[in-house]
PDB file of all heavy atoms in Angstrom:
ATOM      1  N   PHE A 212      89.675 109.848  97.835  1.00 98.00           N
ATOM      2  CA  PHE A 212      90.801 109.784  96.901  1.00 98.00           C
ATOM      3  C   PHE A 212      91.954 109.173  97.562  1.00 98.00           C
ATOM      4  O   PHE A 212      92.472 109.608  98.676  1.00 98.00           O
ATOM      5  CB  PHE A 212      91.151 111.322  96.590  1.00 98.00           C
ATOM      6  CG  PHE A 212      92.282 111.540  95.589  1.00 98.00           C
ATOM      7  CD1 PHE A 212      92.238 110.918  94.379  1.00 98.00           C
ATOM      8  CD2 PHE A 212      93.277 112.344  95.907  1.00 98.00           C
ATOM      9  CE1 PHE A 212      93.238 111.111  93.397  1.00 98.00           C
ATOM     10  CE2 PHE A 212      94.308 112.651  94.983  1.00 98.00           C
ATOM     11  CZ  PHE A 212      94.279 112.002  93.756  1.00 98.00           C
ATOM     12  N   MET A 213      92.389 108.036  96.991  1.00 97.00           N
ATOM     13  CA  MET A 213      93.567 107.382  97.579  1.00 97.00           C
ATOM     14  C   MET A 213      94.491 106.891  96.319  1.00 97.00           C
ATOM     15  O   MET A 213      94.343 105.847  95.911  1.00 97.00           O
ATOM     16  CB  MET A 213      93.280 106.223  98.404  1.00 97.00           C
ATOM     17  CG  MET A 213      92.051 105.334  98.067  1.00 97.00           C
ATOM     18  SD  MET A 213      91.789 104.081  99.295  1.00 97.00           S
ATOM     19  CE  MET A 213      90.539 103.081  98.516  1.00 97.00           C
ATOM     20  N   PRO A 214      95.410 107.787  95.964  1.00 97.00           N
ATOM     21  CA  PRO A 214      96.071 107.520  94.706  1.00 97.00           C
ATOM     22  C   PRO A 214      97.326 106.585  94.823  1.00 97.00           C
ATOM     23  O   PRO A 214      97.905 106.324  93.727  1.00 97.00           O
ATOM     24  CB  PRO A 214      96.534 108.907  94.323  1.00 97.00           C
ATOM     25  CG  PRO A 214      96.749 109.585  95.760  1.00 97.00           C
ATOM     26  CD  PRO A 214      95.716 109.145  96.581  1.00 97.00           C
ATOM     27  N   ASP A 215      97.631 106.132  95.945  1.00 95.00           N
ATOM     28  CA  ASP A 215      98.859 105.338  96.062  1.00 95.00           C
ATOM     29  C   ASP A 215      98.775 104.079  95.238  1.00 95.00           C
ATOM     30  O   ASP A 215      97.808 103.456  94.975  1.00 95.00           O
ATOM     31  CB  ASP A 215      99.178 105.070  97.573  1.00 95.00           C
ATOM     32  CG  ASP A 215     100.697 104.946  97.837  1.00 95.00           C
ATOM     33  OD1 ASP A 215     101.428 104.985  96.892  1.00 95.00           O
ATOM     34  OD2 ASP A 215     101.053 104.753  99.046  1.00 95.00           O
ATOM     35  N   ALA A 216      99.949 103.496  94.960  1.00 87.00           N
ATOM     36  CA  ALA A 216     100.102 102.503  93.961  1.00 87.00           C
ATOM     37  C   ALA A 216     100.158 101.066  94.599  1.00 87.00           C
ATOM     38  O   ALA A 216     100.108 101.012  95.822  1.00 87.00           O
ATOM     39  CB  ALA A 216     101.382 102.667  93.027  1.00 87.00           C
ATOM     40  N   GLY A 217     100.215 100.065  93.693  1.00 85.00           N
ATOM     41  CA  GLY A 217     100.536  98.733  94.157  1.00 85.00           C
ATOM     42  C   GLY A 217      99.627  98.089  95.144  1.00 85.00           C
ATOM     43  O   GLY A 217      98.508  97.978  94.929  1.00 85.00           O
ATOM     44  N   ASP A 218     100.163  97.752  96.277  1.00 92.00           N
ATOM     45  CA  ASP A 218      99.442  97.029  97.316  1.00 92.00           C
ATOM     46  C   ASP A 218      98.758  98.079  98.283  1.00 92.00           C
ATOM     47  O   ASP A 218      98.036  97.599  99.133  1.00 92.00           O
ATOM     48  CB  ASP A 218     100.335  96.145  98.137  1.00 92.00           C
ATOM     49  CG  ASP A 218     100.915  95.009  97.280  1.00 92.00           C
ATOM     50  OD1 ASP A 218     100.161  94.484  96.512  1.00 92.00           O
ATOM     51  OD2 ASP A 218     102.077  94.659  97.487  1.00 92.00           O
ATOM     52  N   ALA A 219      99.057  99.339  98.269  1.00 96.00           N
ATOM     53  CA  ALA A 219      98.571 100.237  99.179  1.00 96.00           C
ATOM     54  C   ALA A 219      97.125 100.445  99.037  1.00 96.00           C
ATOM     55  O   ALA A 219      96.327 100.360 100.125  1.00 96.00           O
ATOM     56  CB  ALA A 219      99.336 101.604  99.045  1.00 96.00           C
ATOM     57  N   ALA A 220      96.596 100.736  97.793  1.00 96.00           N
ATOM     58  CA  ALA A 220      95.141 101.045  97.720  1.00 96.00           C
ATOM     59  C   ALA A 220      94.358  99.795  98.099  1.00 96.00           C
ATOM     60  O   ALA A 220      93.322 100.012  98.842  1.00 96.00           O
ATOM     61  CB  ALA A 220      94.853 101.479  96.278  1.00 96.00           C
ATOM     62  N   PRO A 221      94.624  98.623  97.682  1.00 96.00           N
ATOM     63  CA  PRO A 221      93.821  97.506  98.102  1.00 96.00           C
ATOM     64  C   PRO A 221      93.844  97.294  99.712  1.00 96.00           C
ATOM     65  O   PRO A 221      92.824  97.066 100.195  1.00 96.00           O
ATOM     66  CB  PRO A 221      94.552  96.293  97.414  1.00 96.00           C
ATOM     67  CG  PRO A 221      95.193  96.836  96.225  1.00 96.00           C
ATOM     68  CD  PRO A 221      95.579  98.215  96.678  1.00 96.00           C
ATOM     69  N   PHE A 222      94.965  97.439 100.304  1.00 97.00           N
ATOM     70  CA  PHE A 222      95.058  97.341 101.707  1.00 97.00           C
ATOM     71  C   PHE A 222      94.169  98.382 102.430  1.00 97.00           C
ATOM     72  O   PHE A 222      93.461  98.058 103.371  1.00 97.00           O
ATOM     73  CB  PHE A 222      96.472  97.464 102.260  1.00 97.00           C
ATOM     74  CG  PHE A 222      96.558  97.292 103.788  1.00 97.00           C
ATOM     75  CD1 PHE A 222      96.498  96.092 104.306  1.00 97.00           C
ATOM     76  CD2 PHE A 222      96.973  98.365 104.583  1.00 97.00           C
ATOM     77  CE1 PHE A 222      96.560  95.918 105.786  1.00 97.00           C
ATOM     78  CE2 PHE A 222      97.001  98.223 105.873  1.00 97.00           C
ATOM     79  CZ  PHE A 222      96.910  96.970 106.451  1.00 97.00           C
ATOM     80  N   LEU A 223      94.291  99.627 101.926  1.00 97.00           N
ATOM     81  CA  LEU A 223      93.425 100.665 102.635  1.00 97.00           C
ATOM     82  C   LEU A 223      91.953 100.419 102.346  1.00 97.00           C
ATOM     83  O   LEU A 223      91.142 100.565 103.294  1.00 97.00           O
ATOM     84  CB  LEU A 223      93.771 102.003 101.942  1.00 97.00           C
ATOM     85  CG  LEU A 223      95.166 102.572 102.240  1.00 97.00           C
ATOM     86  CD1 LEU A 223      95.567 103.756 101.277  1.00 97.00           C
ATOM     87  CD2 LEU A 223      95.379 102.960 103.750  1.00 97.00           C
ATOM     88  N   ALA A 224      91.596  99.923 101.189  1.00 96.00           N
ATOM     89  CA  ALA A 224      90.198  99.617 100.907  1.00 96.00           C
ATOM     90  C   ALA A 224      89.689  98.520 101.770  1.00 96.00           C
ATOM     91  O   ALA A 224      88.507  98.510 102.297  1.00 96.00           O
ATOM     92  CB  ALA A 224      89.985  99.277  99.396  1.00 96.00           C
ATOM     93  N   GLN A 225      90.601  97.464 101.955  1.00 96.00           N
ATOM     94  CA  GLN A 225      90.229  96.364 102.864  1.00 96.00           C
ATOM     95  C   GLN A 225      89.950  96.850 104.311  1.00 96.00           C
ATOM     96  O   GLN A 225      89.043  96.352 104.994  1.00 96.00           O
ATOM     97  CB  GLN A 225      91.334  95.297 102.864  1.00 96.00           C
ATOM     98  CG  GLN A 225      91.340  94.501 101.595  1.00 96.00           C
ATOM     99  CD  GLN A 225      92.732  93.841 101.323  1.00 96.00           C
ATOM    100  OE1 GLN A 225      93.504  93.653 102.312  1.00 96.00           O
ATOM    101  NE2 GLN A 225      93.022  93.418 100.080  1.00 96.00           N
ATOM    102  N   ILE A 226      90.723  97.738 104.781  1.00 97.00           N
ATOM    103  CA  ILE A 226      90.535  98.337 106.110  1.00 97.00           C
ATOM    104  C   ILE A 226      89.165  99.044 106.205  1.00 97.00           C
ATOM    105  O   ILE A 226      88.448  98.913 107.138  1.00 97.00           O
ATOM    106  CB  ILE A 226      91.705  99.175 106.623  1.00 97.00           C
ATOM    107  CG1 ILE A 226      93.022  98.370 106.586  1.00 97.00           C
ATOM    108  CG2 ILE A 226      91.443  99.817 107.923  1.00 97.00           C
ATOM    109  CD1 ILE A 226      93.119  97.230 107.500  1.00 97.00           C
ATOM    110  N   LEU A 227      88.934  99.794 105.197  1.00 97.00           N
ATOM    111  CA  LEU A 227      87.700 100.713 105.106  1.00 97.00           C
ATOM    112  C   LEU A 227      86.588  99.725 105.158  1.00 97.00           C
ATOM    113  O   LEU A 227      85.497  99.934 105.790  1.00 97.00           O
ATOM    114  CB  LEU A 227      87.719 101.568 103.992  1.00 97.00           C
ATOM    115  CG  LEU A 227      88.748 102.765 104.024  1.00 97.00           C
ATOM    116  CD1 LEU A 227      88.657 103.560 102.742  1.00 97.00           C
ATOM    117  CD2 LEU A 227      88.363 103.694 105.193  1.00 97.00           C
ATOM    118  N   SER A 228      86.649  98.657 104.397  1.00 96.00           N
ATOM    119  CA  SER A 228      85.580  97.612 104.252  1.00 96.00           C
ATOM    120  C   SER A 228      85.364  96.947 105.557  1.00 96.00           C
ATOM    121  O   SER A 228      84.177  96.732 105.929  1.00 96.00           O
ATOM    122  CB  SER A 228      85.912  96.538 103.182  1.00 96.00           C
ATOM    123  OG  SER A 228      84.939  95.643 103.110  1.00 96.00           O
ATOM    124  N   ALA A 229      86.397  96.623 106.263  1.00 96.00           N
ATOM    125  CA  ALA A 229      86.276  95.987 107.544  1.00 96.00           C
ATOM    126  C   ALA A 229      85.532  96.971 108.584  1.00 96.00           C
ATOM    127  O   ALA A 229      85.020  96.497 109.598  1.00 96.00           O
ATOM    128  CB  ALA A 229      87.652  95.585 108.175  1.00 96.00           C
ATOM    129  N   ARG A 230      85.630  98.252 108.325  1.00 96.00           N
ATOM    130  CA  ARG A 230      85.010  99.270 109.240  1.00 96.00           C
ATOM    131  C   ARG A 230      83.636  99.618 108.712  1.00 96.00           C
ATOM    132  O   ARG A 230      82.970 100.537 109.141  1.00 96.00           O
ATOM    133  CB  ARG A 230      85.850 100.540 109.286  1.00 96.00           C
ATOM    134  CG  ARG A 230      87.098 100.363 110.223  1.00 96.00           C
ATOM    135  CD  ARG A 230      86.828 100.115 111.637  1.00 96.00           C
ATOM    136  NE  ARG A 230      86.008 101.131 112.217  1.00 96.00           N
ATOM    137  CZ  ARG A 230      86.513 102.197 112.846  1.00 96.00           C
ATOM    138  NH1 ARG A 230      87.883 102.252 112.998  1.00 96.00           N
ATOM    139  NH2 ARG A 230      85.727 103.140 113.260  1.00 96.00           N
ATOM    140  N   GLY A 231      83.118  98.802 107.711  1.00 93.00           N
ATOM    141  CA  GLY A 231      81.764  98.987 107.215  1.00 93.00           C
ATOM    142  C   GLY A 231      81.611  99.959 106.041  1.00 93.00           C
ATOM    143  O   GLY A 231      80.488 100.151 105.688  1.00 93.00           O
ATOM    144  N   ILE A 232      82.616 100.381 105.415  1.00 93.00           N
ATOM    145  CA  ILE A 232      82.594 101.199 104.293  1.00 93.00           C
ATOM    146  C   ILE A 232      82.575 100.373 103.061  1.00 93.00           C
ATOM    147  O   ILE A 232      83.445  99.561 102.780  1.00 93.00           O
ATOM    148  CB  ILE A 232      83.727 102.218 104.303  1.00 93.00           C
ATOM    149  CG1 ILE A 232      83.958 102.998 105.537  1.00 93.00           C
ATOM    150  CG2 ILE A 232      83.522 103.097 103.063  1.00 93.00           C
ATOM    151  CD1 ILE A 232      82.684 103.782 105.981  1.00 93.00           C
ATOM    152  N   ARG A 233      81.495 100.492 102.242  1.00 81.00           N
ATOM    153  CA  ARG A 233      81.293  99.660 101.016  1.00 81.00           C
ATOM    154  C   ARG A 233      81.500 100.549  99.896  1.00 81.00           C
ATOM    155  O   ARG A 233      81.295 101.785  99.917  1.00 81.00           O
ATOM    156  CB  ARG A 233      79.906  99.176 101.099  1.00 81.00           C
ATOM    157  CG  ARG A 233      79.616  98.168 102.168  1.00 81.00           C
ATOM    158  CD  ARG A 233      80.412  96.836 102.094  1.00 81.00           C
ATOM    159  NE  ARG A 233      80.145  95.965 103.186  1.00 81.00           N
ATOM    160  CZ  ARG A 233      80.918  95.854 104.262  1.00 81.00           C
ATOM    161  NH1 ARG A 233      82.036  96.477 104.285  1.00 81.00           N
ATOM    162  NH2 ARG A 233      80.645  94.994 105.237  1.00 81.00           N
ATOM    163  N   PRO A 234      82.032  99.967  98.703  1.00 74.00           N
ATOM    164  CA  PRO A 234      82.148 100.718  97.580  1.00 74.00           C
ATOM    165  C   PRO A 234      81.026 101.534  97.053  1.00 74.00           C
ATOM    166  O   PRO A 234      81.184 102.586  96.517  1.00 74.00           O
ATOM    167  CB  PRO A 234      82.627  99.588  96.501  1.00 74.00           C
ATOM    168  CG  PRO A 234      83.193  98.526  97.279  1.00 74.00           C
ATOM    169  CD  PRO A 234      82.427  98.501  98.573  1.00 74.00           C
ATOM    170  N   GLY A 235      79.873 101.031  97.306  1.00 82.00           N
ATOM    171  CA  GLY A 235      78.684 101.723  96.897  1.00 82.00           C
ATOM    172  C   GLY A 235      78.267 103.021  97.749  1.00 82.00           C
ATOM    173  O   GLY A 235      77.596 103.887  97.362  1.00 82.00           O
ATOM    174  N   GLN A 236      78.936 103.027  99.006  1.00 90.00           N
ATOM    175  CA  GLN A 236      78.651 104.052  99.823  1.00 90.00           C
ATOM    176  C   GLN A 236      79.356 105.362  99.408  1.00 90.00           C
ATOM    177  O   GLN A 236      78.841 106.361  99.675  1.00 90.00           O
ATOM    178  CB  GLN A 236      79.154 103.628 101.312  1.00 90.00           C
ATOM    179  CG  GLN A 236      78.778 104.545 102.388  1.00 90.00           C
ATOM    180  CD  GLN A 236      79.132 103.958 103.748  1.00 90.00           C
ATOM    181  OE1 GLN A 236      79.388 102.788 103.917  1.00 90.00           O
ATOM    182  NE2 GLN A 236      79.123 104.773 104.749  1.00 90.00           N
ATOM    183  N   VAL A 237      80.568 105.115  99.052  1.00 95.00           N
ATOM    184  CA  VAL A 237      81.376 106.293  98.596  1.00 95.00           C
ATOM    185  C   VAL A 237      82.106 105.881  97.263  1.00 95.00           C
ATOM    186  O   VAL A 237      82.258 104.608  97.074  1.00 95.00           O
ATOM    187  CB  VAL A 237      82.434 106.759  99.575  1.00 95.00           C
ATOM    188  CG1 VAL A 237      81.817 107.397 100.824  1.00 95.00           C
ATOM    189  CG2 VAL A 237      83.420 105.628  99.981  1.00 95.00           C
ATOM    190  N   LYS A 238      82.391 106.737  96.423  1.00 97.00           N
ATOM    191  CA  LYS A 238      83.191 106.464  95.185  1.00 97.00           C
ATOM    192  C   LYS A 238      84.700 106.509  95.500  1.00 97.00           C
ATOM    193  O   LYS A 238      85.217 107.551  95.856  1.00 97.00           O
ATOM    194  CB  LYS A 238      82.798 107.375  94.075  1.00 97.00           C
ATOM    195  CG  LYS A 238      83.486 107.127  92.743  1.00 97.00           C
ATOM    196  CD  LYS A 238      83.109 105.767  92.116  1.00 97.00           C
ATOM    197  CE  LYS A 238      81.648 105.658  91.761  1.00 97.00           C
ATOM    198  NZ  LYS A 238      81.429 104.399  91.052  1.00 97.00           N
ATOM    199  N   PHE A 239      85.373 105.465  95.279  1.00 97.00           N
ATOM    200  CA  PHE A 239      86.891 105.432  95.431  1.00 97.00           C
ATOM    201  C   PHE A 239      87.404 106.003  94.178  1.00 97.00           C
ATOM    202  O   PHE A 239      87.180 105.634  93.007  1.00 97.00           O
ATOM    203  CB  PHE A 239      87.359 104.075  95.630  1.00 97.00           C
ATOM    204  CG  PHE A 239      87.041 103.517  96.978  1.00 97.00           C
ATOM    205  CD1 PHE A 239      86.417 102.264  97.112  1.00 97.00           C
ATOM    206  CD2 PHE A 239      87.188 104.233  98.151  1.00 97.00           C
ATOM    207  CE1 PHE A 239      86.143 101.668  98.317  1.00 97.00           C
ATOM    208  CE2 PHE A 239      86.822 103.713  99.371  1.00 97.00           C
ATOM    209  CZ  PHE A 239      86.279 102.453  99.519  1.00 97.00           C
ATOM    210  N   LEU A 240      88.367 107.017  94.413  1.00 98.00           N
ATOM    211  CA  LEU A 240      89.080 107.588  93.214  1.00 98.00           C
ATOM    212  C   LEU A 240      90.514 107.383  93.399  1.00 98.00           C
ATOM    213  O   LEU A 240      91.171 107.451  94.417  1.00 98.00           O
ATOM    214  CB  LEU A 240      88.772 109.165  93.326  1.00 98.00           C
ATOM    215  CG  LEU A 240      87.382 109.609  93.420  1.00 98.00           C
ATOM    216  CD1 LEU A 240      87.285 111.104  93.505  1.00 98.00           C
ATOM    217  CD2 LEU A 240      86.483 109.144  92.247  1.00 98.00           C
ATOM    218  N   GLY A 241      91.175 107.036  92.168  1.00 98.00           N
ATOM    219  CA  GLY A 241      92.630 106.788  92.280  1.00 98.00           C
ATOM    220  C   GLY A 241      93.412 107.652  91.217  1.00 98.00           C
ATOM    221  O   GLY A 241      92.856 108.668  90.724  1.00 98.00           O
ATOM    222  N   SER A 242      94.585 107.302  91.050  1.00 97.00           N
ATOM    223  CA  SER A 242      95.526 107.905  90.138  1.00 97.00           C
ATOM    224  C   SER A 242      95.877 107.000  88.980  1.00 97.00           C
ATOM    225  O   SER A 242      95.474 105.813  88.959  1.00 97.00           O
ATOM    226  CB  SER A 242      96.738 108.384  90.909  1.00 97.00           C
ATOM    227  OG  SER A 242      97.557 107.215  91.171  1.00 97.00           O
ATOM    228  N   GLY A 243      96.733 107.494  88.091  1.00 96.00           N
ATOM    229  CA  GLY A 243      97.257 106.554  87.013  1.00 96.00           C
ATOM    230  C   GLY A 243      98.088 105.403  87.523  1.00 96.00           C
ATOM    231  O   GLY A 243      98.176 104.347  86.839  1.00 96.00           O
ATOM    232  N   GLN A 244      98.454 105.467  88.812  1.00 95.00           N
ATOM    233  CA  GLN A 244      99.108 104.307  89.391  1.00 95.00           C
ATOM    234  C   GLN A 244      98.270 103.191  89.669  1.00 95.00           C
ATOM    235  O   GLN A 244      98.770 102.018  90.077  1.00 95.00           O
ATOM    236  CB  GLN A 244      99.954 104.861  90.704  1.00 95.00           C
ATOM    237  CG  GLN A 244     101.017 105.805  90.448  1.00 95.00           C
ATOM    238  CD  GLN A 244     101.862 105.979  91.623  1.00 95.00           C
ATOM    239  OE1 GLN A 244     102.675 104.991  92.046  1.00 95.00           O
ATOM    240  NE2 GLN A 244     101.890 107.194  92.219  1.00 95.00           N
ATOM    241  N   TRP A 245      96.904 103.374  89.604  1.00 96.00           N
ATOM    242  CA  TRP A 245      95.990 102.298  89.733  1.00 96.00           C
ATOM    243  C   TRP A 245      95.928 101.397  88.496  1.00 96.00           C
ATOM    244  O   TRP A 245      95.165 100.411  88.512  1.00 96.00           O
ATOM    245  CB  TRP A 245      94.634 102.948  90.046  1.00 96.00           C
ATOM    246  CG  TRP A 245      94.345 103.226  91.387  1.00 96.00           C
ATOM    247  CD1 TRP A 245      95.202 103.540  92.369  1.00 96.00           C
ATOM    248  CD2 TRP A 245      93.049 103.246  91.978  1.00 96.00           C
ATOM    249  NE1 TRP A 245      94.606 103.814  93.563  1.00 96.00           N
ATOM    250  CE2 TRP A 245      93.204 103.678  93.340  1.00 96.00           C
ATOM    251  CE3 TRP A 245      91.767 103.061  91.622  1.00 96.00           C
ATOM    252  CZ2 TRP A 245      92.199 103.761  94.298  1.00 96.00           C
ATOM    253  CZ3 TRP A 245      90.708 103.097  92.511  1.00 96.00           C
ATOM    254  CH2 TRP A 245      90.937 103.551  93.852  1.00 96.00           C
TER     255      TRP A 245
END
Side-chain angles (χ1 to χ4, degrees):
F212 183 53
M213 45 184 186
D215 210 355
D218 296 322
F222 181 71
L223 293 168
Q225 289 162 15
I226 299 302
L227 292 174
S228 178
R230 289 294 301 269
I232 307 301
R233 299 289 180 259
Q236 185 177 347
V237 292
K238 181 62 69 174
F239 292 130
L240 308 176
S242 71
Q244 297 195 63
W245 276 27

